[in-house]
Amino acid sequence: MEIIIFDTAQQLDEYGANYFVNTVKQKPNAVLGLATGSTPIGIYEKIAEKYKQGEVSFSGVTTYNLDEYAGLSPLNDQSYSYYMNHHLFSHIDIDLKNTNLPDGNASDLQAECKRYDAMLQTQPIDVQLLGLGHNGHIGFNEPDESLNGGTHLVELKRETREANARFFSSLDEVPTHALTMGVGSILKANTIVLAVRGADKADIVKQALTGPITTKVPASLLQTHPRVIVLLDREAGRWLA
Ligand code: GLP
């Protein structure tokens, strides 16, 4: 595991963006795993800048997102589908047909999970971007006695709904369920880039990266992966020696 601590969030964003841009330059038909939340926004902005400067084309790229809320239409501005269009896809030349998220609005959510997994089987992810939840979740894989390998429907913990309520007008509006890629699928990615910012994540960063490997801290399973790059700002990395 390579851990890089940056002095500023801008440096973290620049490094993260360059990593993805260089991946696509080397492999124009790369399959990228993408994440949502507040952390990747700066990385996506810098990727869009580099595209506008003519540094890279995404026309051959395929993307898979980690997760999506259940019950939100892609037109809902809190859906992750909307987020991805808003923060990245509408700013680059990616073919929207090659962008994939679980459909949280599908009539049969179990069938939707199977469909998503079947697609992931055919297109292994080259680089997977991850953020980190305060309770150690990755995607929406919440701490539990055991974890699911594949895409599945998950009931969100209250703390996760509270953390994400800042994007909604009230806690009641935060969906109670989501579809998420499983930890097994995440760990199949060739390379994983975990980006974490802020003092409020310092504790969980330390637990995830240096604590016991346990399903109670889903991100700790990243310790078992051979190619993980961890990007931290100074605050998130403060408890790592
Ligand atoms: C959500 C997402 C995660 C994300 C986490 C942290 O729960 N499902 O993929 O990593 O939030 O988000 P933030 O970066 O806003 O702290």
Side-chain angles (χ1 to χ4, degrees), residues 34-41 66-69 80 83 129-135 137-142 156 160-161 163-164 166-167 178-180 194-197 200-201:
L34 300 178
T36 51
S38 52
T39 310
I41 292 174
L66 284 168
D67 47 14
E68 178 60 286
Y69 287 117
Y80 286 164
Y83 167 113
L129 179 61
L130 290 181
L132 179 67
H134 289 102
N135 61 8
H137 73 229
I138 45 177
F140 269 133
N141 291 280
E142 297 279 38
L156 300 177
T160 297
R161 294 184 60 239
N164 290 353
R166 66 191 195 278
F167 302 114
L179 301 186
T180 184
L194 172 69
V196 194
R197 290 156 71 153
D200 54 321
K201 301 262 178 84

